[in-house]
C-alpha cells in the first residue's frame, strides 16, 4: 500500500511532522487527488535571544538538505508503485504577486500540521514556525488529516508583530477564509528583504517574526 510505504520512510525521521490532505480547493485537483505535506524543523531552533540572520539562514539550509533527502526517497517509492505524482516548486512564480504555483502553507493547514500565525507563517505546536515545508501531489486517496480552520495563537499575543523591523504585520488573527493581505504587507516584506541582495547574494532570511514566536518545545517548557 502506497500510504504505508510513505509512512515507513518517516520512521527514519521521527522529528518530521507530516500528513495527507485532499486538494479539492486547488487547480491541481483536476490531475491529482491528494497532497502529502511535511514539515522539517530548522537545524537550529532560534529564539530572539539567540537569533542572527546568518544562523537563521544556516538552520533553513540544514532543513533543506533533509527535505531533499526525503524527496528522493518519496520519489523512489512512488515510482516503484507506479503512482502519478508531481513535486511542485517551492519558489514564487514571479516578483509581482509573490505566490508559488501550489501553496505548501495551505496544504499544511488542510493536512492538520498547523495554522497560520500573525506572521503569515505556518505555526506547528511542536516547533512553532521554525520549519521548512515541502509537498508532493499524488493521484491517490489517503487517510487525510483534520483541517485546522482557525488560529491557535492567543488573541492578545503580538510578539511576532512587535519583532518585525518593518512593521509589515497587521496583528490580525488568521482563519481559513483570511487573505494574505489581511495578515501581512507581503510586498513591503519582500522589498525590504530584497535590499540585501547585493551584499548577501540572496534576500535576507529575516526570521525575527519566527524567532519571536512562543510556540515550540523550548519555549513552552516541553
Amino acid at each position: 500500500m502506497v500510504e504505508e510505504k510513505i509512512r515507513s520512510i518517516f520512521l527514519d525521521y521521527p522529528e518530521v511532522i507530516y500528513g495527507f490532505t485532499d486538494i479539492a480547493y486547488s487547480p491541481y485537483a483536476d490531475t491529482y487527488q491528494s497532497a502529502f505535506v511535511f514539515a522539517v524543523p530548522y537545524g537550529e531552533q532560534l529564539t530572539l535571544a539567540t537569533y542572527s540572520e546568518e544562523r537563521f539562514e544556516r538552520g533553513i539550509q540544514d532543513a533543506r538538505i533533509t527535505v531533499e533527502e526525503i524527496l528522493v526517497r518519496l520519489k523512489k517509492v512512488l515510482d516503484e508503485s507506479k503512482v502519478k505524482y508531481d513535486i511542485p516548486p517551492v519558489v514564487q512564480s514571479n516578483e509581482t504577486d509573490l505566490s508559488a504555483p501550489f501553496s505548501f502553507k495551505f496544504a499544511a493547514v488542510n493536512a492538520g500540521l498547523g495554522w497560520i500565525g500573525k506572521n503569515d507563517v505556518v505555526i506547528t505546536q511542536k516547533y512553532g514556525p521554525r520549519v521548512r515545508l515541502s509537498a508532493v501531489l499524488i493521484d491517490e486517496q489517503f487517510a487525510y488529516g483534520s483541517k485546522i480552520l482557525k488560529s491557535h495563537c492567543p488573541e492578545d499575543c503580538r510578539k511576532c508583530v512587535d519583532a518585525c523591523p518593518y512593521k509589515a504585520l497587521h496583528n490580525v488573527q488568521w482563519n481559513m477564509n483570511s487573505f494574505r493581505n489581511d495578515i501581512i504587507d507581503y510586498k513591503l516584506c519582500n522589498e525590504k528583504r530584497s535590499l540585501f541582495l547585493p551584499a548577501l547574494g540572496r534576500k535576507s532570511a529575516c526570521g525575527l517574526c519566527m524567532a519571536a514566536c512562543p510556540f515550540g518545545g523550548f519555549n513552552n517548557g516541553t
Side-chain angles (χ1 to χ4, degrees):
M1 184 177 179
V2 177
E3 183 171 335
E4 292 176 355
K5 291 178 180 178
I6 291 174
R7 291 183 183 276
S8 70
I9 291 172
F10 291 86
L11 296 175
D12 295 332
Y13 301 93
E15 75 282 7
V16 175
I17 306 167
Y18 66 88
F20 300 87
T21 178
D22 72 89
I23 56 169
Y25 62 85
S26 168
Y28 287 93
D30 291 340
T31 309
Y32 303 98
Q33 299 179 65
S34 307
F36 174 72
V37 58
F38 60 98
V40 175
Y42 290 163
E44 192 172 9
Q45 296 280 295
L46 298 175
T47 65
L48 285 179
T50 58
Y51 175 88
S52 74
E53 196 277 343
E54 294 80 9
R55 291 176 71 180
F56 189 72
E57 173 67 14
R58 187 162 58 247
I60 292 172
Q61 295 309 319
D62 288 344
R64 180 182 178 182
I65 291 170
T66 302
V67 166
E68 290 174 350
E69 289 176 359
I70 291 171
L71 288 175
V72 168
R73 295 182 65 175
L74 285 169
K75 288 169 66 176
K76 186 174 186 293
V77 163
L78 295 169
D79 285 336
E80 290 174 348
S81 301
K82 301 188 185 313
V83 175
K84 184 168 67 173
Y85 70 93
D86 183 49
I87 300 174
V90 66
V91 295
Q92 296 161 345
S93 304
N94 56 65
E95 287 289 305
T96 302
D97 60 15
L98 300 170
S99 62
F102 181 79
S103 173
F104 293 179
K105 289 194 299 184
F106 202 61
V109 300
N110 275 275
L113 273 60
W115 62 95
I116 306 296
K118 291 183 178 180
N119 53 8
D120 192 46
V121 179
V122 169
I123 310 293
T124 66
Q125 193 72 41
K126 187 173 184 180
Y127 303 111
R130 305 163 192 86
V131 295
R132 186 178 183 93
L133 297 175
S134 188
V136 182
L137 306 174
I138 307 172
D139 193 22
E140 290 280 326
Q141 288 192 338
F142 300 98
Y144 299 139
S146 298
K147 294 176 172 59
I148 297 179
L149 303 178
K150 63 181 182 178
S151 176
H152 292 186
C153 295
E155 188 73 44
D156 61 351
C157 181
R158 51 176 295 130
K159 291 184 177 180
C160 62
V161 176
D162 292 337
C164 177
Y166 308 117
K167 307 305 178 189
L169 303 176
H170 302 320
N171 193 30
V172 169
Q173 286 281 68
W174 169 86
N175 64 58
M176 189 59 88
N177 296 316
S178 298
F179 293 100
R180 181 174 49 165
N181 297 6
D182 299 335
I183 298 169
I184 184 173
D185 185 340
Y186 63 92
K187 291 186 177 179
L188 174 63
C189 176
N190 182 66
E191 174 189 322
K192 296 299 185 182
R193 292 175 57 227
S194 297
L195 293 176
F196 292 84
L197 277 166
L200 300 177
R202 58 172 172 79
K203 296 178 185 179
S204 168
C206 190
L208 288 166
C209 66
M210 289 181 262
C213 183
F215 281 92
F218 53 85
N219 276 329
N220 62 24
T222 61

